[in-house]
Amino acid sequence: TILKKNVGMGIGLSMLVATVDETIQRFVPGRSGQVTDVLLDTLGASAGILIVYVAMQWLCLKSKRGAENAV
């Protein structure tokens, strides 16, 4: 479904943003870009995205059940 596609895009974009951020840090004095930071940032964003996905699935299921009971 479109929601699953958006989850994949969100995770991919979060990885891209984390990679760009860590790359920029390599050029800032006193900072260093770390691959582990990219992984941690992506993992955190992915967890948030998946929590929202599960919540939306639950709400959709709940609203469908409510609509079936109303008929």
Side-chain angles (χ1 to χ4, degrees):
T1 65
I2 193 162
L3 190 57
K4 287 182 184 178
K5 185 177 181 181
N6 288 340
V7 167
M9 284 178 46
I11 291 171
L13 285 173
S14 68
M15 182 178 281
L16 176 65
V17 169
T19 301
V20 169
D21 180 46
E22 293 301 318
T23 302
I24 290 170
Q25 286 185 32
R26 294 184 60 87
F27 300 103
V28 175
R31 302 293 305 255
S32 64
Q34 303 290 326
V35 173
T36 53
D37 286 347
V38 171
L39 296 174
L40 287 171
D41 291 347
T42 303
L43 182 63
S46 298
I49 290 167
L50 292 174
I51 288 169
V52 170
Y53 174 77
V54 168
M56 290 190 64
Q57 292 288 358
W58 180 76
L59 288 172
C60 287
L61 182 62
K62 187 176 176 181
S63 70
K64 283 182 184 178
R65 286 184 179 167
E68 289 173 357
N69 291 338
V71 174

